[in-house]
Amino acid sequence: MENNINRKGSVAALYASFFLIGITVTVYGPTINYLMKDYNISMGKASLFVTFMSMGRTLSVLASGILSDKAGRKPILFGGTLCLTLGLLGIGTLSWYTGGLIFAVIAGVGHGMLDTSASAAISDLYPEKMSRALNRLHMFFGIGCLIGPIISGSMLALGCNWRYIYLVNAIIGLLITIFIWFQSFPQIQNVQTSDAGKGHFIISSTVIALGLILFIYSGVGQSINTWINKYMGDVVNFPIFFAAGTLAIYNLGITLGRLFSSFISEKIGYYRWILYASIGSLVGIVMAFMAGVGIIIVIGLFITGFFFGGLFPTVIAIAGNIYPNNKGAITGGLVTIAAIGSMSVPAIIGFMSQDGSLQSSVKWLIALVALMVIIVSIMQYKKKEN
């Protein structure tokens, strides 16, 4: 009975940590117009908040994965939620632009620590059904991404200062950090495996392909989280609350997609599922950014989110099966590549929009998703050959 209670507490802590990531990464989108006015900065400079957060994630994620394999999951989990909380608190209280960027880096460090340690911890708890476990963990990231814009949109619609949104999220982060402190997690155990699973994953063509998939997924997804509110407000002329609601619908798609993926990926196979998911996300993003009608854009974003939902956790599950004794390290390596995508692509869209228009700039996201479909198709073809 005690083991069941410990497992429930551990799983709840992991779910809560990913919920915190979700509400953090979606806080910029609804508040970016207010942030630009408060700091008197351009779209390009505003996008650097996302870039610097992703930079912090990139700096921490690989080391966090290796440390979580050696020192255990709990210290990295605790440090991750603490850094996210401090990052939100700093941005919510400072009026100094450079200082805000520094706290964005701190939040990013926390994001990276949680990405690796929580994914590795859930894999420790459910080694036989990693994709299902990871999809359900990442579903709570989607729930955070769903609830975050609703909180932001509601507070802004009620006339609250944008900084209060960051402070509310910081309070949530503090409560989750305290909760993790009182939990325990399984001891890390080595798994007997073949020489193919003992290292050298940096030079593996499969892992490189998986990294490219995560680079595109994270870059496109973070671009949607960052710019869709402004896009729906400036291009489609949606009111503040409904623009934030559009982002919530995209993240509702991610949440439901991860729930669906937790079942389907185990039945049809991990590789086949990421092929179907990449094709579905391409259909959705074409609808979203090639249509000029608000309702079609919203439906397209929901479809994109739904099929995006299962990509990240299923890719991590594939890599974890290849290298079962280095789950933290391989997760860290892949998430580092994903972090570079989330750091660079939204900023590129922001700077492109300064010289052109946001409406035309976001269409480049379609090309990136099309490239992802090609990469996954090649992987599937090679797997059949082998």
Side-chain angles (χ1 to χ4, degrees):
M1 183 67 179
E2 185 178 355
N3 287 336
N4 289 334
I5 293 173
N6 288 339
R7 175 174 290 229
K8 288 178 181 177
S10 300
V11 171
L14 298 175
Y15 287 170
S17 69
F18 262 59
F19 174 82
L20 178 60
I21 297 174
I23 62 174
T24 302
V25 300
T26 53
V27 76
Y28 295 110
T31 61
I32 200 159
N33 276 335
Y34 301 90
L35 187 147
M36 287 167 63
K37 291 177 182 176
D38 202 327
Y39 285 104
N40 192 26
I41 54 176
S42 65
M43 287 177 64
K45 285 188 174 182
S47 70
L48 291 180
F49 277 90
V50 179
T51 299
F52 273 63
M53 182 173 173
S54 298
M55 188 186 302
R57 183 186 179 200
T58 305
L59 292 171
S60 73
V61 71
L62 183 57
S64 298
I66 296 169
L67 282 172
S68 75
D69 283 339
K70 295 183 180 299
R73 314 303 185 196
K74 182 174 177 177
I76 312 302
L77 286 166
F78 180 81
T81 54
L82 183 62
C83 285
L84 273 178
T85 301
L86 291 174
L88 289 164
L89 185 64
I91 297 170
T93 54
L94 288 178
S95 297
W96 176 36
Y97 174 62
T98 304
L101 293 179
I102 291 170
F103 275 96
V105 172
I106 293 172
V109 168
H111 186 175
M113 293 172 77
L114 292 178
D115 261 338
T116 52
S117 58
S119 294
I122 203 76
S123 299
D124 294 337
L125 288 164
Y126 301 99
E128 300 303 320
K129 294 186 176 179
M130 260 193 277
S131 180
R132 176 177 293 185
L134 284 162
N135 271 286
R136 290 184 178 176
L137 172 67
H138 285 259
M139 183 179 73
F140 279 82
F141 169 81
I143 293 172
C145 291
L146 170 64
I147 292 176
I150 294 174
I151 293 173
S152 301
S154 300
M155 291 180 70
L156 291 172
L158 291 171
C160 294
N161 188 291
W162 67 273
R163 293 182 181 276
Y164 291 138
I165 297 169
Y166 288 78
L167 297 180
V168 167
N169 288 348
I171 292 170
I172 295 171
L174 179 60
L175 294 174
I176 293 171
T177 303
I178 294 170
F179 180 67
I180 287 174
W181 179 259
F182 291 101
Q183 304 308 314
S184 59
F185 296 89
Q187 294 293 321
I188 301 164
Q189 297 180 357
N190 286 335
V191 178
Q192 293 298 321
T193 185
S194 65
D195 290 340
K198 290 181 179 177
H200 308 296
F201 50 78
I202 297 300
I203 60 172
S204 164
S205 61
T206 299
V207 173
I208 291 171
L210 295 175
L212 289 173
I213 293 166
L214 293 190
F215 176 92
I216 294 169
Y217 158 80
S218 293
V220 173
Q222 190 61 53
S223 295
I224 292 172
N225 278 323
T226 303
W227 296 116
I228 200 62
N229 274 73
K230 190 167 181 61
Y231 181 89
M232 297 304 289
D234 295 356
V235 177
V236 191
N237 296 318
F238 271 27
I240 293 172
F241 181 78
F242 290 106
T246 301
L247 179 57
I249 288 171
Y250 163 73
N251 287 301
L252 174 63
I254 285 182
T255 305
L256 295 177
R258 282 177 175 158
L259 179 61
F260 178 75
S261 180
S262 70
F263 297 105
I264 196 69
S265 62
E266 300 289 348
K267 292 183 177 180
I268 69 173
Y270 297 174
Y271 287 88
R272 185 180 296 178
W273 170 238
I274 62 173
L275 175 62
Y276 295 162
S278 62
I279 293 170
S281 62
L282 178 60
V283 172
I285 203 164
V286 168
M287 288 178 61
F289 293 129
M290 296 303 291
V293 182
I295 186 64
I296 297 177
I297 294 171
V298 173
I299 293 171
L301 286 169
F302 175 82
I303 293 171
T304 304
F306 182 85
F307 286 105
F308 260 12
L311 282 174
F312 192 103
T314 306
V315 165
I316 297 298
I318 290 171
N321 279 334
I322 297 172
Y323 302 102
N325 288 336
N326 304 99
K327 293 189 191 84
I330 187 63
T331 301
L334 289 173
V335 176
T336 299
I337 299 171
I340 294 170
S342 63
M343 176 173 63
S344 56
V345 178
I348 291 169
I349 296 297
F351 282 104
M352 285 173 63
S353 300
Q354 287 184 181
D355 299 325
S357 71
L358 186 58
Q359 185 174 10
S360 60
S361 297
V362 295
K363 290 180 180 177
W364 285 99
L365 301 177
I366 298 173
L368 284 175
V369 178
L371 176 60
M372 181 173 69
V373 173
I374 294 170
I375 294 169
V376 178
S377 299
I378 294 171
M379 284 181 61
Q380 180 71 5
Y381 175 75
K382 285 187 174 181
K383 185 175 182 295
K384 284 184 178 179
E385 275 196 335
N386 292 334

